[in-house]
Amino acid sequence: MPTDAVGRFLAALDPHHREIFTSRPREDQERLVAAWERELASDDELDTLDELSPPAAEAEAARRVMDLES
């Protein structure tokens, strides 16, 4: 399991979003990862999900961040 933020974000993405993410410039990738970390830290609903399944919480936050970019 990746321990750096970019690696964790990539692991949380579905294949379609992963392809979109990796095609973006590094600056955009870093901005998306920062948004993902903020989403994980600030959403109480994700806190509850994180207690049950950390990977599911990370995947949901990643989906939300990428959907905002669409």
Side-chain angles (χ1 to χ4, degrees):
M1 172 174 239
T3 57
D4 69 307
V6 173
R8 285 181 37 236
F9 184 69
L10 274 170
L13 289 172
D14 62 71
H16 172 72
H17 284 129
R18 190 175 301 127
E19 185 177 319
I20 293 169
F21 177 80
T22 57
S23 71
R24 293 188 176 216
R26 182 69 180 179
E27 182 179 288
D28 285 350
Q29 291 178 358
E30 290 172 357
R31 180 181 53 77
L32 289 168
V33 170
W36 174 68
E37 289 180 318
R38 285 191 302 275
E39 182 76 15
L40 283 170
S42 67
D43 191 302
D44 292 339
E45 181 182 302
L46 290 175
D47 284 344
T48 303
L49 182 57
D50 187 52
E51 290 178 15
L52 300 172
S53 174
E58 289 186 350
E60 175 61 17
R63 183 195 60 76
R64 291 178 187 181
V65 167
M66 292 302 292
D67 284 351
L68 288 174
E69 289 293 309
S70 301

